[in-house]
Amino acid sequence: MATYSTNEFRGGLKVLLEGDPCTIVENEFVKPGKGQAFNRVKLKNLKTGRVWERTFKSGESIEAADVLDISMEYLYSDGEFWHFMKTDGSFEQLPADEAAVGETKDWLKEQEQYEVTLFNGTPISVSPPNHIELEIVETDPGVKGDTATGGSKPATLSTGAVVKVPLFISEGEVIKVDTRTREYISRAKQ
Amino acid sequence: MSTTDFSSSWQPSASLETLKQRSLLLRRIRQFFETRSVMEVDTPHWSRFGVTDVHLENLRITDGGFLLTSPEYPMKRLLAAGSGDIFQLGHVFRRDESGPRHNLEFTMLEWYRVGWDDERLMVEVAELCRSVADEPELAVETVSYREAFERSGLPDPHRAEVALLRACVGKQLNTEAGDWSRDECLDALMALVVEPGLPGDRLVFVTRYPASQAALARHEVVDGVTVGRRFEVYWRGMELANGYWELTDPAEQARRFEADRARRRELGLAEPEVDPNLLAAMEAGLPECAGVALGVDRLLMIALGASDISEVLPFDASRA
């Protein structure tokens, strides 16, 4: 099993802590002049998103985590799992469970590509693209010509997500949304 | 480093304005000692012998010998030769030390006062800081190592069972410390719990260290506990200086060096030979004295409010 010594610690390194894959967020070297050196480390648990703080004696090693971020295409959901396909030409399909998909569920669209984090070959998290185009399936009727007043209304997208859209947007239109802020950006270009 | 972009890394890490402040600081330090008739010395930075400190690693030269982690041994040899009070401003080297407060090579001010003890030297350390950092009103507070722990809600560091100290590390630092030694627990609690809680607006002297952490200092028994006559100076949350009422007994010194070597062996670390020149000088007679080493780069960081040591170095290790 590959290991990393504290002197290899740096932001972004993937390690195993209490059996869970983590990424190092921050690494601080602390040493009393005449004493033992320590690394004070902040790690983000890639499964839960929680940030842990741990202290290691400098020189200690911890196990590397077999973590890989790859681009995958979303195919379908069977109600229990969400199925993704590798885009490397292998067409290999992998199921992601609800914990892995998390809030990205709101942005899952067939044939769209997602960044999937694999731990020992199993998806543990799915990130959507920053911008995605989705159809509005339900909203109040559009107010024609009102492009300036700045009012907004809720609209339900084909994925089930609800976002605020300007008043002039109508049902059936395809809009571009920022998945990080859940904000409307524009009408989709035809 | 193959990734270095030399088109920017050739440039200094400190601003030219900071380098002027650095020059001023070095000048003020020299003036401070000149008015007090302390002689400047410049002993070698290289030696055929390294240190046996458990937690210090010399840089080794592939052609032989070591770059020194401090000028302590050659300066003590000068003292034994009858130099009287001496100071040195020089570069020292510590392998594996790198971070916002650490640079592989740094500037150390070290000085010795013949006939003084640690308490008297502490007064002079405060006078130096006030003078060279231009803070005449700077207040001073002295706490013992034990008091510092107890103020942070920690147990008596001298008497607590190691199991309790490990539990404190576990609780305070979220860390499984089941196999940590007593000193490892104490170092972690000192550096990560006690130190951040020390008042930053004054010079804090922490005194009476555990004897196990004061290999070159005199030991004494206080309330049935053997402690070292060692002090550490903290200012604005930063460890700034470390001083001793120096041990002068060569047999006791040799015994402690061997204990360090034994501990290094246990830890699988290299075992440098004990410097025979130091022991021979102590045999000839090291005068009663107190000595202290102060990190000049850190003092400049404090004076200028810098948060990273690279801001005060002409070229930090990544650019050197």
Side-chain angles (χ1 to χ4, degrees), chain B residues 116-190:
Chain B
W116 289 22
D117 67 4
D118 47 345
E119 309 257 329
R120 186 159 173 209
L121 186 59
M122 281 159 56
V123 174
E124 187 165 61
V125 171
E127 286 165 355
L128 174 106
C129 290
R130 289 193 191 107
S131 165
V132 302
D134 211 7
E135 295 223 21
E137 306 301 321
L138 182 63
V140 166
E141 183 176 345
T142 302
V143 289
S144 72
Y145 189 85
R146 179 175 64 80
E147 286 164 346
F149 266 64
E150 289 172 353
R151 279 189 199 177
S152 295
L154 296 168
D156 180 338
H158 306 299
R159 289 191 165 87
E161 298 285 337
V162 67
L164 176 59
L165 296 173
R166 286 172 181 157
C168 289
V169 171
K171 184 160 160 254
Q172 303 261 355
L173 303 174
N174 241 331
T175 293
E176 180 52 53
D179 61 347
W180 288 23
S181 71
R182 176 175 200 89
D183 279 323
E184 286 167 348
C185 292
L186 292 178
D187 280 338
L189 293 170
M190 184 68 197

Side-chain angles (χ1 to χ4, degrees), chain A residues 31 33 35-36 54-55 57, chain B residues 55 97 174-175 184 187 239:
Chain A
K31 183 181 186 301
Q36 170 72 44
R54 289 286 187 280
T55 302
K57 285 188 283 180
Chain B
H55 299 298
E97 300 194 11
N174 241 331
T175 293
E184 286 167 348
D187 280 338
E239 182 193 353

Side-chain angles (χ1 to χ4, degrees), chain A residues 8-156:
Chain A
E8 297 173 278
F9 283 9
R10 59 179 190 280
L13 198 70
K14 307 288 195 294
V15 297
L16 211 53
L17 191 67
E18 297 175 19
D20 278 358
C22 295
T23 181
I24 291 181
V25 181
E26 231 179 88
N27 170 43
E28 188 193 359
F29 178 77
V30 180
K31 183 181 186 301
K34 291 275 178 182
Q36 170 72 44
F38 301 95
N39 287 65
R40 192 100 173 101
V41 186
K42 281 195 179 127
L43 309 109
K44 185 175 169 186
N45 184 320
L46 291 171
K47 278 185 168 170
T48 62
R50 278 183 53 195
V51 174
W52 284 341
E53 204 167 84
R54 289 286 187 280
T55 302
F56 298 91
K57 285 188 283 180
S58 297
E60 278 187 322
S61 291
I62 52 176
E63 256 181 65
D66 177 13
V67 171
L68 199 63
D69 293 327
I70 61 166
S71 177
M72 296 186 85
E73 186 182 311
Y74 173 61
L75 298 176
Y76 66 96
S77 170
D78 60 18
E80 188 183 1
F81 290 102
W82 286 259
H83 297 264
F84 292 82
M85 183 176 71
K86 288 190 180 173
T87 56
D88 58 2
S90 71
F91 302 105
E92 191 188 337
Q93 294 185 21
L94 292 173
D97 64 13
E98 179 143 25
V101 171
E103 290 183 0
T104 301
K105 210 160 43 176
D106 279 352
W107 313 113
L108 286 179
K109 182 177 143 187
E110 285 164 25
Q111 291 174 321
E112 188 72 48
Q113 299 211 359
Y114 295 81
E115 189 179 85
V116 178
T117 303
L118 303 180
F119 170 49
N120 294 335
T122 305
I124 52 164
S125 79
V126 177
S127 310
N130 292 340
H131 298 154
I132 193 163
E133 292 182 356
L134 291 166
E135 189 189 338
I136 294 177
V137 294
E138 196 189 327
T139 191
D140 292 341
V143 182
K144 240 195 164 70
D146 185 4
T147 57
T149 56
S152 68
K153 59 182 180 180
T156 307

Side-chain angles (χ1 to χ4, degrees), chain B residues 81-118:
Chain B
S83 67
D85 299 332
I86 47 175
F87 82 96
Q88 173 149 218
L89 266 169
H91 286 206
V92 294
F93 302 82
R94 295 180 178 184
R95 209 192 74 188
D96 305 330
E97 300 194 11
S98 161
R101 295 174 175 194
H102 294 86
N103 195 61
L104 176 91
E105 174 180 2
F106 61 100
T107 299
M108 185 176 269
L109 165 64
E110 182 148 334
W111 78 97
Y112 290 86
R113 287 296 211 160
V114 176
W116 289 22
D117 67 4
D118 47 345

